[in-house]
Amino acid sequence: MQRGSTARSASKAEGRSQNSAERGHEMEARVAQLWFWEGYFARRGINLERHYHPDPLLITDLDLMAFDFNPQLARTKHIGEVKTGTSRNAKPLDRLIWLSGLRQVVEADSGELTTAITPSDRVRSLGRSLGITTQSLADFERREKDAVAELDGLGSHGIAAAETTKQVQVICKRDPELERAFWFLRSEIWFLKPFVAVKQTLDLMRRLSRRWTPRLEDDDSTAIRWLISEAASVFTLNAVTIAGLGFTLSKEQFSSLVVDSLSEGIVPSHQARRFSESVDRYVAGLLAAAEAPAQIRVDAVGAFYPKPPDYAEAFAEFAWRLAQAPVAARNLPRQVDFLVFERVVNRQEAHWMAVFKLGLRRQDGVRLRRLAAAFLRGANATSEVLDVALNRQVQLEQQQEGSTSQTQLEQQSLFTEASLESPAEIYVARLREAILRRLPGNAIVSNKEGEPDIVYVSDDGRKAIVEVKHRLSGALGTSEVMSAKSQLDRISEDNACLLVTNAPLSDEVRQHNASNPELAQGIEVVTWNDDRDDGLLARALMRILH
């Protein structure tokens, strides 16, 4: 049995260790927050132990990792180390040399060291020569005061966000699938090449979307909200990274590069193609010797040929559009990171100062966020709560000091599933905006049963009746077209109407349009997702004006 004095001494030591660890975690969260508001896409607590498993590693976590993009969308990586203690292993020179070695291991372009012990001028000079900035806690606090101020604790950063991450980790421990997702987003994803990261993140988002249950708020939904938000942020970061590869390529060259790269597994696609051709020749010889039927020989060709995922061409188009808007694309990962975490995890609207600082109301950024939402819908990698977070208009309302608790409750409930505008309602509102962008007149939206979704009235008084079919996945079939036609026949005095959808059209529906040049069957069907489709929408409306 321990003696009383020894036990008390051990207890005090343990308490000091815990307090020191807590101070360290809080300081990491504050530094990551500072980096974000200074312009980086930042993350803290990147787990190295799991990445290098099963090899033993004394370094469990990389304190800080961040990314930035230059005007040509070339990505740079920045890492950081925080030491809040003054023990022997916290000496600035030792930590500087240690961080310099770690920078090479994780292939970072630069680094930053923050220590409680003020670094000497000699240490600062050595750090600059090694590509590492060194600072004291006083230096950090001066920067924090200038850059963060009233933005403390917003989005995915700050001490409160770090506590939320801890809570999510505890919840995920109860479910093997959620735990794998959590550690994938806290460790492995940060060491993958961009194309592999996109594929694995989209696969994760597809699985999370199947687990999302609208209007059910429990521990699992809390964890899924966090996982969905983190995955959406990581996906956007890697999408912009890939877009940077297209800066000096034609659209055809870039699309070919993206599709080929998404086809790759562990083996590069060009090597996999050569392997497939060799296997085809060998198998063809065996089947010919066995006198197999011709159909079997044909079916066996290309069995090992690398195949891209079903969303490859759509992703290539999305990434190309990012490359065509580099100024907005540079800021897109930070905008998505902040907005999605505020709306999905924190369930509140963006603070007015953050709206200004991140440029959340700029139309080029709004367009790219909606393009991202449209791609994720088409890839079946989204949920209603994420779709709304990316599409909903950002309000610009200054929050008054001393606001009532009722007002705060209303704001917090704004992004709970029960009170959200549905994706269909958001789609109708965006469709109305698109009509008015291209055509003079007015577009009237009705939410009443038995009335058309939109009635467009031109300046000279002619009308076009529009019915909307919004889908989260899948193609639009003829049964839905005929159902819409029957409904429109009951509310329209004339025959010609327009059906607008966000979904791709099935072969039968495309045949319906092709065989209906004069609208003899009374309804035309078009797909509209964003401003790329404005011209198609306007021409279709002009055809049915009467």
Side-chain angles (χ1 to χ4, degrees), residues 128-252:
R128 286 191 291 271
S129 70
L130 297 174
I132 296 174
T133 303
T134 56
Q135 66 175 355
S136 67
L137 293 183
D139 298 327
F140 160 76
E141 289 170 353
R142 184 188 66 253
R143 289 169 60 193
E144 183 183 47
K145 183 178 179 181
D146 293 338
V148 179
E150 295 182 42
L151 300 169
D152 182 35
L154 300 180
S156 64
H157 292 287
I159 295 174
E163 289 301 316
T164 299
T165 302
K166 288 182 182 178
Q167 295 169 12
V168 169
Q169 181 180 353
V170 171
I171 295 170
C172 289
K173 280 184 178 179
R174 307 177 205 146
D175 186 310
E177 184 179 28
L178 294 183
E179 186 175 31
R180 285 194 299 272
F182 178 85
W183 286 116
F184 171 75
L185 294 169
R186 294 281 289 179
S187 178
E188 194 60 34
I189 186 64
W190 304 106
F191 305 100
L192 297 176
K193 299 298 183 184
F195 285 103
V196 179
V198 162
K199 288 199 295 184
Q200 295 196 15
T201 304
L202 286 174
D203 180 64
L204 172 62
M205 294 178 74
R206 283 175 163 178
R207 286 185 277 119
L208 289 173
S209 68
R210 291 194 291 269
R211 293 196 56 156
W212 174 253
T213 305
R215 295 174 176 81
L216 175 62
E217 295 296 338
D218 57 8
D219 283 350
D220 279 2
S221 68
T222 299
I224 293 171
R225 280 177 179 272
W226 187 93
L227 293 168
I228 286 173
S229 301
E230 185 74 4
S233 299
V234 170
F235 163 76
T236 310
L237 176 73
N238 284 288
V240 174
T241 304
I242 291 170
L245 302 177
F247 226 76
T248 57
L249 300 177
S250 67
K251 185 175 183 180
E252 292 73 20

Side-chain angles (χ1 to χ4, degrees), residues 209-347:
S209 68
R210 291 194 291 269
R211 293 196 56 156
W212 174 253
T213 305
R215 295 174 176 81
L216 175 62
E217 295 296 338
D218 57 8
D219 283 350
D220 279 2
S221 68
T222 299
I224 293 171
R225 280 177 179 272
W226 187 93
L227 293 168
I228 286 173
S229 301
E230 185 74 4
S233 299
V234 170
F235 163 76
T236 310
L237 176 73
N238 284 288
V240 174
T241 304
I242 291 170
L245 302 177
F247 226 76
T248 57
L249 300 177
S250 67
K251 185 175 183 180
E252 292 73 20
Q253 291 172 324
F254 179 69
S255 297
S256 177
L257 169 67
V258 170
V259 173
D260 279 353
S261 298
L262 289 174
S263 303
E264 292 181 356
I266 299 175
V267 180
S269 59
H270 66 278
Q271 294 181 8
R273 282 193 290 269
R274 288 202 297 269
F275 173 74
S276 176
E277 292 167 359
S278 299
V279 171
D280 285 345
R281 287 193 293 271
Y282 178 73
V283 172
L286 290 178
L287 293 176
E291 299 181 352
Q295 185 61 45
I296 293 179
R297 297 188 207 178
V298 172
D299 291 343
V301 173
F304 289 88
Y305 198 84
K307 295 179 176 62
D310 54 5
Y311 52 77
E313 292 185 1
F315 179 78
E317 178 67 25
F318 169 56
W320 175 255
R321 290 188 174 274
L322 294 179
Q324 303 314 296
V327 175
R330 289 180 70 185
N331 295 320
L332 184 64
R334 294 175 66 239
Q335 289 185 349
V336 169
D337 179 48
F338 177 82
L339 200 55
V340 169
F341 267 88
E342 279 293 86
R343 290 175 163 179
V344 178
V345 178
N346 300 333
R347 307 180 211 186

Side-chain angles (χ1 to χ4, degrees), residues 68-76 241 244:
D68 192 16
F69 294 91
N70 72 9
Q72 288 75 42
L73 300 184
R75 191 173 85 175
T76 57
T241 304

Side-chain angles (χ1 to χ4, degrees), residues 54-72:
D55 294 312
L57 188 69
L58 292 177
I59 309 169
T60 56
D61 291 332
L62 173 60
D63 289 351
L64 299 154
M65 181 180 286
F67 301 89
D68 192 16
F69 294 91
N70 72 9
Q72 288 75 42

